[in-house]
């Protein structure tokens, strides 16, 4: 089948399986790997172009053929194009393939990045770091099973506290009580307040997700006691009250969070949500706008303004 015909079919499938539509609406298109960041439309273009390059490679064309497609070179991030070329010339290079995986993940294509990681771990099954990185990228691809498998494989090689916390966090979000066992294990290592704070936070997440409000609040307070700048703990603590319709109590937590870090957009966004639920429209609008002043890509804040007729 000609590459272009195959490309047309794959584009539709790709958009479904890669989690790409969700990425466009998710304000936490995170990611912690250094790399390239583009607007949503450019990401979509890049996604299609990456597939095109991959099909070209599959058809057995030489690396110079990539340069013949000016549209690829013009719209594709130069770093990604160069990495594909480097891998074609050096298919056994761990460095190039790992960098490509990070680059693809950073531009919103974790499903394709995960394929690169699959190649790496297949060639080197005993590399702890590769399994850990595969787990992170699998999380971005919304493949929880692959992420858990990767972290477990990494921990079988080396029981690092970071790997333990990564796995515990997934267990907590999926309401698996193993999260508490792992958090206790990390705490018992006596690694200091930073790790104690992480462990308490993840335990709090587990309790919050399983509806155990008092235990969740206790753990978030423990986290904050170990690290008073742990902003996610303030947000999760406030959300325990918010989800229980205790909006005034939630607002106090979010207000305090803003005094700890007055550049933290989420603190103002959740203040706005509290005001909105308390039917204080003017204050809600002000806070939504404050959050957008700090993070213009906070789509939820735009949605809030639209609900209130202010945008």
């Amino acid at each position: 089948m000609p590459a272009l015909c195959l490309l047309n079919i794959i584009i539709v499938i790709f958009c479904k399986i890669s989690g790409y539509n969700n990425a466009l609406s998710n304000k936490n298109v995170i990611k912690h790997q250094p790399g390239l960041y583009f607007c949503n439309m450019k990401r979509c273009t890049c996604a299609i172009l990456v597939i095109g390059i991959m099909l070209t490679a599959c058809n057995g064309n030489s690396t110079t053929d990539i340069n013949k497609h000016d549209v690829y070179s013009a719209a594709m991030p130069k770093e990604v194009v160069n990495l594909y070329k480097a891998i074609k010339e050096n298919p056994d290079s761990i460095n190039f393939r790992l960098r490509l995986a990070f680059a693809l993940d950073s531009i919103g294509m974790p499903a394709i990045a995960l394929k690169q990681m699959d190649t790496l771990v297949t060639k080197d099954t005993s590399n702890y770091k590769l399994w850990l990185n595969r787990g992170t990228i699998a999380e971005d691809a919304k493949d929880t099973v692959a992420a858990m498998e990767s972290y477990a494989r990494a921990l079988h090689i080396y029981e690092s506290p970071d790997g333990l916390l990564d796995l515990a966090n997934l267990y907590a979000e999926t309401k698996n009580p193993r999260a508490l066992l792992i958090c206790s294990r990390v705490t018992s290592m006596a690694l200091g307040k930073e790790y104690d704070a992480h462990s308490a936070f993840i335990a709090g997440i587990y309790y919050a997700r399983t509806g155990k409000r008092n235990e969740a609040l206790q753990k978030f307070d423990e986290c904050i006691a170990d690290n008073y700048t742990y902003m996610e703990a303030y947000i999760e603590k406030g959300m325990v009250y918010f989800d229980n319709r205790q909006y005034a109590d939630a607002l106090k937590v979010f207000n305090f969070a803003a005094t700890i870090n007055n550049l933290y957009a989420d603190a103002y966004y959740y203040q706005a949500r509290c005001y909105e639920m308390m039917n204080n429209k003017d204050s809600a609008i002000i806070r939504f706008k404050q959050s957008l002043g700090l993070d213009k890509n906070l789509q939820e804040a735009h949605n809030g303004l639209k609900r209130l007729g202010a945008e």
Side-chain angles (χ1 to χ4, degrees), residues 14-310:
F14 167 76
C15 291
K16 296 291 184 182
I17 67 173
S18 66
Y20 201 70
N21 292 332
N22 291 335
L24 297 183
S25 60
N26 187 351
K27 74 183 180 67
N28 295 319
V29 182
I30 311 160
K31 280 267 118 173
H32 306 294
Q33 301 293 350
L36 309 169
Y37 296 87
F38 301 91
C39 66
N40 290 336
M41 288 303 295
K42 193 165 187 178
R43 286 176 180 172
C44 188
T45 302
C46 292
I48 295 171
L49 294 175
V50 167
I51 297 173
I53 292 176
M54 292 173 69
L55 289 174
T56 299
C58 290
N59 283 338
N61 295 338
S62 66
T63 56
T64 57
D65 285 347
I66 295 177
N67 293 327
K68 295 178 182 178
H69 298 279
D70 293 335
V71 63
Y72 292 162
S73 299
M76 196 68 187
K78 183 178 179 181
E79 179 179 344
V80 175
V81 173
N82 289 340
L83 286 170
Y84 268 110
K85 292 179 181 179
I87 289 173
K88 193 167 181 63
E89 295 171 358
N90 305 277
D92 294 326
S93 171
I94 294 177
N95 178 48
F96 286 141
R97 198 173 293 277
L98 189 59
R99 285 169 56 191
L100 176 60
F102 288 157
L104 290 169
D105 190 32
S106 73
I107 61 175
M109 291 186 287
I112 295 181
L114 187 58
K115 295 298 183 182
Q116 298 296 330
M117 294 306 304
D118 288 343
T119 298
L120 286 171
V121 296
T122 298
K123 292 182 177 180
D124 190 355
T125 59
S126 62
N127 190 314
Y128 156 80
K129 198 68 176 178
L130 290 181
W131 283 110
L132 203 63
N133 287 325
R134 182 179 186 268
T136 300
I137 291 175
E139 282 196 69
D140 295 344
K142 310 300 182 187
D143 191 338
T144 303
V145 173
M148 287 182 174
E149 175 196 8
S150 298
Y151 292 141
R153 291 289 295 268
L155 292 169
H156 182 71
I157 299 167
Y158 169 54
E159 191 180 75
S160 73
D162 292 323
L164 286 168
L165 290 173
D166 285 334
L167 183 56
N169 186 60
L170 279 180
Y171 281 146
E173 290 289 0
T174 54
K175 304 179 183 180
N176 189 323
R178 293 180 182 177
L180 299 179
L181 295 175
I182 296 177
C183 289
S184 296
R185 168 65 178 148
V186 174
T187 301
S188 70
M189 293 178 175
L191 299 171
K193 288 189 174 183
E194 179 182 356
Y195 282 97
D196 288 347
H198 291 321
S199 298
F201 176 75
I202 292 172
I205 291 294
Y206 169 77
Y207 286 126
R209 302 298 183 263
T210 54
K212 298 179 180 179
R213 296 178 57 253
N214 292 335
E215 292 89 341
L217 292 172
Q218 178 183 342
K219 286 299 180 180
F220 291 137
D221 282 340
E222 286 181 19
C223 173
I224 292 168
D226 286 324
N227 180 359
Y228 77 97
T229 64
Y230 208 120
M231 302 309 296
E232 294 87 350
Y234 291 105
I235 299 302
E236 290 290 344
K237 178 181 177 180
M239 287 305 297
V240 172
Y241 291 117
F242 187 92
D243 290 341
N244 200 47
R245 300 184 180 181
Q246 295 174 268
Y247 303 121
D249 291 326
L251 182 59
K252 290 178 183 177
V253 177
F254 298 136
N255 282 339
F256 187 72
T259 67
I260 299 300
N261 184 349
N262 62 8
L263 299 178
Y264 193 62
D266 281 359
Y268 299 101
Y269 167 77
Y270 285 108
Q271 288 175 35
R273 290 289 290 122
C274 289
Y275 282 124
E276 184 180 6
M277 299 306 293
M278 297 165 68
N279 296 315
N280 188 335
K281 179 177 177 179
D282 291 340
S283 294
I285 290 173
I286 291 172
R287 293 299 188 271
F288 279 135
K289 289 183 177 179
Q290 277 186 283
S291 66
L292 285 170
L294 295 168
D295 182 358
K296 63 182 180 181
N297 295 319
L298 195 55
Q299 186 58 47
E300 290 88 341
H302 285 294
N303 295 340
L305 291 174
K306 290 177 182 177
R307 284 194 304 272
L308 298 173

